[in-house]
Amino acid sequence: MPVISPWLFYIIDLLDKLREMAIIVFWIIVAVFFLVGFAAFLEGENWEDKTILKLKKGLKLSIIPIVITSVMYIAIPSKETIYKMLVSKYVAYENIDKATDTIKDGVDYIFEKLDGNK
């Protein structure tokens, strides 16, 4: 039986991809937000009141995913940090002097194995 569950590696990779998607979605929404705002600024006099109201509602609603993706990006640690946390879990209090080297060696070993599988 492995010391570290293989499912943990899957979850770590999944969280890393979720973190990357959050930042991509964030920037797409911000770009659309500014493009629509800029277009409304340039063509605002020629648009109907219904169109302007819809744009304002859409821009207000876009704040929700911006906040959600920002929180996701901040709250989900990076892949490297998760691996460090995982390795540090297995360091005993008796070996606290060796913990720094052990964690670094463990993380380096994990990244070598992961890079070797690609």
Side-chain angles (χ1 to χ4, degrees):
M1 183 174 159
V3 176
I4 300 173
S5 172
W7 281 101
L8 286 174
F9 293 106
Y10 170 74
I11 292 170
I12 290 169
D13 194 52
L14 184 67
L15 286 173
D16 187 56
K17 289 178 181 168
L18 188 62
R19 186 173 195 258
E20 291 173 7
M21 273 306 288
I23 198 66
I24 290 169
V25 169
F26 171 83
W27 285 114
I28 289 172
I29 292 171
V30 168
V32 169
F33 185 84
F34 281 110
L35 288 173
V36 169
F38 187 68
F41 176 73
L42 292 178
E43 298 290 331
E45 295 176 4
N46 299 330
W47 288 2
E48 296 177 12
D49 288 338
K50 282 183 174 181
T51 307
I52 292 173
L53 289 175
K54 286 180 183 179
L55 283 174
K56 286 182 180 180
K57 184 178 179 182
L59 292 176
K60 287 178 185 176
L61 288 176
S62 68
I63 292 174
I64 296 168
I66 286 175
V67 170
I68 291 171
T69 55
S70 298
V71 169
M72 284 174 53
Y73 185 74
I74 293 169
I76 298 174
S78 69
K79 199 177 211 179
E80 185 176 315
T81 302
I82 296 173
Y83 284 132
K84 287 178 185 177
M85 292 166 54
L86 182 65
V87 171
S88 67
K89 177 183 173 185
Y90 293 99
V91 175
Y93 288 110
E94 299 84 31
N95 298 329
I96 201 69
D97 295 332
K98 299 177 185 177
T100 304
D101 294 334
T102 304
I103 291 171
K104 184 182 179 309
D105 293 343
V107 170
D108 290 344
Y109 177 76
I110 289 171
F111 280 116
E112 286 175 13
K113 288 295 181 182
L114 289 174
D115 288 339
N117 289 335
K118 292 182 178 179

